[in-house]
Amino acid sequence: MIEDSANDRSKPFQRLPRSFSLKRKSLITPLFDRRRDDVGTLTRGCLRIVYRVVPREQLAKGVPLQVGFAPGRIAGAVRRNRIKRLLREVYRVHQSDLVDLFSGRDDTLTMMIVYRGDGDDEEDLHKRIAADLPPLLSALHDREGETSTSAERRE
């Protein structure tokens, strides 16, 4: 019974898989290069998502997406780490649609979620991230879903 619930893809991972972490400099640097035209960005409230779709051959692992979390320019390591933990948790709970979208494709989504707010109190911080990130992920899913269907129509 426990194994069935662990294998159910409709539920979020209990822990964000390590292979889904965006760590390679060669994949992070292009996300912030303003001269590139293959980088997209979405903004809402205190968050910004910078993303790029790359061929799977550029990755050592065959994962559908890789994500990184940046706390922005926040003073104090405790506060920065708290922001990263909140971003990871809210993303983990709402990632399933994006994972499903890119699981059947030949390319991989690389993205960085950037917190661009100021030093809010802890309670307000959690509410803002929880309110802003799910609509951003939904907008990214819609945008990339349209891109994949238009590419299929061309073929």
Side-chain angles (χ1 to χ4, degrees):
M1 186 90 171
I2 294 173
E3 292 176 14
D4 292 339
S5 64
N7 292 330
D8 186 11
R9 295 288 285 162
S10 64
K11 295 181 183 178
F13 295 113
Q14 291 300 313
R15 188 168 127 26
L16 191 64
R18 185 169 289 202
S19 62
F20 282 30
S21 295
L22 183 61
K23 297 284 186 186
R24 291 177 50 195
K25 186 176 180 180
S26 63
L27 294 173
I28 295 171
T29 303
L31 290 173
F32 296 100
D33 186 359
R34 294 181 185 223
R35 296 171 296 192
R36 298 186 70 103
D37 59 350
D38 62 343
V39 176
T41 184
L42 295 168
T43 305
R44 180 182 169 112
C46 67
L47 299 176
R48 178 177 175 220
I49 293 181
V50 183
Y51 67 94
R52 181 173 162 242
V53 178
V54 299
R56 283 240 172 126
E57 297 85 44
Q58 289 186 3
L59 292 151
K61 306 167 189 115
V63 294
L65 59 90
Q66 287 193 332
V67 62
F69 303 94
R73 293 189 169 116
I74 301 293
V78 172
R79 186 170 253 351
R80 282 192 306 271
N81 290 336
R82 173 84 173 141
I83 290 169
K84 284 196 285 189
R85 279 195 306 271
L86 288 171
L87 288 172
R88 272 194 306 267
E89 177 60 19
V90 174
Y91 170 76
R92 182 191 66 81
V93 171
H94 294 93
Q95 73 177 343
S96 60
D97 289 339
L98 279 175
V99 172
D100 292 342
L101 178 66
F102 279 90
S103 289
R105 292 175 52 169
D106 293 335
D107 46 14
T108 299
L109 176 68
T110 59
M111 69 176 165
M112 184 71 71
I113 301 174
V114 181
Y115 178 78
R116 49 187 210 118
D118 52 2
D120 299 323
D121 63 342
E122 297 298 318
E123 204 172 292
D124 188 42
L125 180 68
H126 181 62
K127 287 179 186 175
R128 288 179 64 190
I129 290 174
D132 291 341
L133 189 54
L136 271 177
L137 294 174
S138 178
L140 179 58
H141 177 271
D142 294 344
R143 185 179 286 185
E144 286 304 311
E146 291 173 5
T147 304
S148 68
T149 55
S150 64
E152 289 171 4
R153 287 184 200 146
R154 279 185 253 138
E155 294 177 353

